[in-house]
Amino acid sequence: MNMKKIYSSVYEKIFESSIARGREKSGDYYPLRPSLVLGHDPLIAMIVDDFKAAGFKIDKNVRSRLLFVADHFAPPSTAERADILKKFLDFSYGEKIENVKVFEGICHQLMVESEMARPFSYIAGSDSHTVMAGAISSIASGYGSMDILSAMTTGVIYEKKFPVRGVNFYGDKAPFITGRDLGLEVIRLIGEGEGNNTVLEYSDNTSGCVFMDDRYAISNASIECGASAGIFSPDEILLGHLIMRGGPGTKRSYEKLFDEFTADVKPDYEVNVHIDAGSMNSKIALPHDFSKIIDVAGVSNVSVDQVFVGSCASGRISDFQYMCEAIGSISKKARRKNVKKDPKVRLIVTPSSQKIYLEAIKLGYIEKLIGFGAVITNPSCGPCGGIDKGLIGSGEVCLSTSTRNFRGRMGSMDSDIYIASPLTAIFTAYAGKITAPEEFYL
């Protein structure tokens, strides 16, 4: 009698179900068939010449699975970048790519807003922060140009099967702890790059206080540990999110999908990391990497020139809610209705998609932030990758919610970037120096 296989992780089951049947394994590498291939303007432009020179064709079964997004040079700030964007667009439209998004938001956010990103699937993207889609219980990994080219033309990417570390969140987080704080805590405990050649699998055993936007921030941070993917186990929060997102799935069909998928998954991780969200303080990464992550309260007398809230690590609707709640806390403590940021601090806020931008307008968040002194930019990668709309100069200090703080990441090589949460960002913009949210909440 054949015994039904029991999978030791969500990752293992998705991985095995994504193996392309009829394709040979190559050493330790398996041919995986992505259900979605994400490409952004600079990387797709990079492969155009090789694609044409080799006479490649896009695999007919892949065309509908491609999602191409212009988000880096959005809009282009130089003639050189305009040429790159043109190359991307000419290729996309010339090849009749069905799903092309231009200036609508950051590719990773548009990916998870799309019905194309499905739970329990394998997603390949042209950027390391594709891992963000792990929040919807998918294997989502970033690749270089040749792997994306392979996915486009052959329908598969060859990938190794990695060991899995379990990360368990428990306890009830304080209202000043956000997904960005939790993501920084994951990096602190595992270590920058110490999760290389592994997968992180997250479980939310709090009382349901790690919401979807928090999870996107946490999964996004997985890559800073070196992890190939950062997957959340499916639960009621994800189920509710998928139903709200809309699309062909109904509540009943999603419930059936979840029940069928989880029936033979019994987590048994090689390593387990436990994080008590209830005992956490607000976190901050010191320049110029993620090797030094401490409590925000441990940073004293650091004045800032700029505060940036945005990138694929932030800029979602809950981040706007956090920021406006912070302004409310400042008003309450100052006993003034119309408080403003420190006049010497530049506060730049970037929604991660047009959908979020419009919702933030509707909810009054944009008006409140502008009243506080913020500049709101169009959804794009912007200063996070040192592209535009908020670069910093020599000797300047920036408190940012973005993905990375490497030297020169946001402009001058002679500048400092601190990474923290949207709440820390607003309190810092108000005080003119790095300030812990606890000062206003406790």
Side-chain angles (χ1 to χ4, degrees):
M1 186 172 91
N2 291 330
M3 297 291 290
K4 186 176 182 180
K5 177 169 182 175
I6 300 298
Y7 297 93
S8 62
S9 63
V10 172
Y11 166 76
E12 182 185 26
K13 184 169 183 179
I14 299 173
F15 187 98
E16 294 195 8
S17 66
S18 300
I19 296 172
R21 307 306 167 193
R23 297 289 186 99
E24 292 293 323
K25 183 182 172 189
S26 179
D28 292 333
Y29 290 82
Y30 295 81
L32 301 187
R33 193 179 299 282
S35 65
L36 168 59
V37 179
L38 176 70
H40 58 54
D41 38 342
L43 187 134
I44 296 301
M46 186 187 301
I47 67 177
V48 168
D49 291 342
D50 288 335
F51 182 93
K52 291 180 177 179
F56 286 140
K57 301 290 182 185
I58 293 177
D59 186 291
K60 64 180 181 179
N61 297 315
V62 174
R63 190 176 299 277
S64 63
R65 301 180 182 185
L66 298 177
L67 175 60
F68 283 4
V69 178
D71 64 350
H72 279 57
F73 307 140
S77 57
T78 67
E80 179 185 12
R81 289 171 178 175
D83 287 340
I84 294 171
L85 177 64
K86 184 178 186 303
K87 195 171 192 176
F88 164 78
L89 293 175
D90 287 348
F91 177 77
S92 300
Y93 296 137
E95 291 295 324
K96 296 182 173 56
I97 305 302
E98 297 175 17
N99 303 290
V100 182
K101 306 287 186 181
V102 181
F103 304 167
E104 293 184 32
I106 300 170
C107 64
H108 310 102
Q109 182 62 32
L110 296 181
M111 166 182 64
V112 297
E113 288 178 1
S114 170
E115 299 161 16
M116 296 174 69
R118 305 193 307 271
F120 318 134
S121 66
Y122 167 53
I123 297 171
S126 62
D127 186 290
S128 60
H129 291 106
T130 302
V131 292
M132 190 178 101
I136 62 168
S137 291
S138 66
I139 297 177
S141 300
Y143 296 94
S145 56
M146 292 300 100
D147 283 315
I148 296 299
L149 186 59
S150 172
M152 289 167 56
T153 57
T154 70
V156 300
I157 288 178
Y158 280 82
E159 181 62 283
K160 289 173 109 174
K161 190 175 183 181
F162 297 112
V164 182
R165 295 188 189 195
V167 180
N168 170 43
F169 296 106
Y170 67 98
D172 293 334
K173 71 180 180 69
F176 51 81
I177 296 298
T178 74
R180 199 70 184 103
D181 296 295
L182 292 168
L184 288 171
E185 180 70 351
V186 170
I187 302 168
R188 187 185 74 83
L189 291 174
I190 293 176
E192 183 181 34
E194 293 301 315
N196 197 30
N197 292 323
T198 66
V199 165
L200 303 182
E201 194 158 302
Y202 301 106
S203 299
D204 178 8
N205 289 303
T206 68
S207 58
C209 59
V210 183
F211 300 108
M212 281 307 302
D213 283 356
D214 295 318
R215 295 178 183 197
Y216 286 133
I218 294 164
S219 288
N220 187 288
S222 304
I223 190 62
E224 312 313 330
C225 300
S228 176
I231 306 169
F232 265 87
S233 299
D235 61 9
E236 290 297 318
I237 288 178
L238 174 59
L239 180 65
H241 174 72
L242 292 171
I243 293 167
M244 278 183 56
R245 190 178 71 174
T250 63
K251 183 176 187 292
R252 182 173 294 179
S253 66
Y254 275 127
E255 287 174 340
K256 182 181 179 183
L257 175 66
F258 275 43
D259 289 343
E260 290 176 350
F261 182 87
T262 57
D264 51 5
V265 177
K266 308 297 179 188
D268 183 17
Y269 306 121
E270 297 189 16
V271 178
N272 287 280
V273 177
H274 300 282
I275 296 176
D276 181 1
S279 66
M280 272 186 59
N281 297 318
S282 301
K283 300 298 179 184
I284 190 167
L286 308 183
H288 297 281
D289 54 32
F290 286 99
S291 66
K292 295 183 285 294
I293 295 172
I294 65 172
D295 290 351
V296 181
V299 179
S300 59
N301 297 318
V302 175
S303 298
V304 301
D305 300 284
Q306 178 170 294
V307 170
F308 172 64
V309 178
S311 86
C312 58
S314 186
R316 282 174 277 277
I317 200 65
S318 66
D319 298 313
F320 280 87
Q321 181 180 346
Y322 284 133
M323 287 188 283
C324 290
E325 286 176 355
I327 294 171
S329 296
I330 294 168
S331 293
K332 184 177 179 180
K333 189 167 186 177
R335 296 183 179 178
R336 296 198 316 273
K337 185 176 181 181
N338 298 314
V339 294
K340 289 187 176 290
K341 68 172 181 63
D342 186 302
K344 299 187 296 296
V345 176
R346 308 185 299 272
L347 173 58
I348 300 169
V349 177
T350 301
S352 55
S353 74
Q354 287 184 341
K355 179 181 178 182
I356 290 167
Y357 199 169
L358 290 170
E359 189 173 354
I361 292 171
K362 181 179 178 181
L363 293 171
Y365 296 154
I366 298 297
E367 182 178 0
K368 192 162 190 173
L369 283 162
I370 290 175
F372 184 67
V375 170
I376 314 297
T377 77
N378 69 295
S380 69
C381 296
C384 174
I387 299 170
D388 52 27
K389 297 188 286 290
L391 303 187
I392 52 178
S394 178
E396 289 197 310
V397 176
C398 180
L399 187 288
S400 176
T401 66
S402 58
T403 58
R404 289 172 178 152
N405 63 346
F406 305 150
R407 194 183 297 275
R409 173 79 178 182
M410 294 180 67
S412 172
M413 293 293 288
D414 182 29
S415 62
D416 290 338
I417 306 166
Y418 293 78
I419 302 291
S421 75
L423 282 171
T424 301
I426 292 299
F427 293 124
T428 296
Y430 174 73
K433 62 180 182 179
I434 293 175
T435 302
E438 286 88 337
E439 292 188 27
F440 290 83
Y441 278 84
L442 300 177

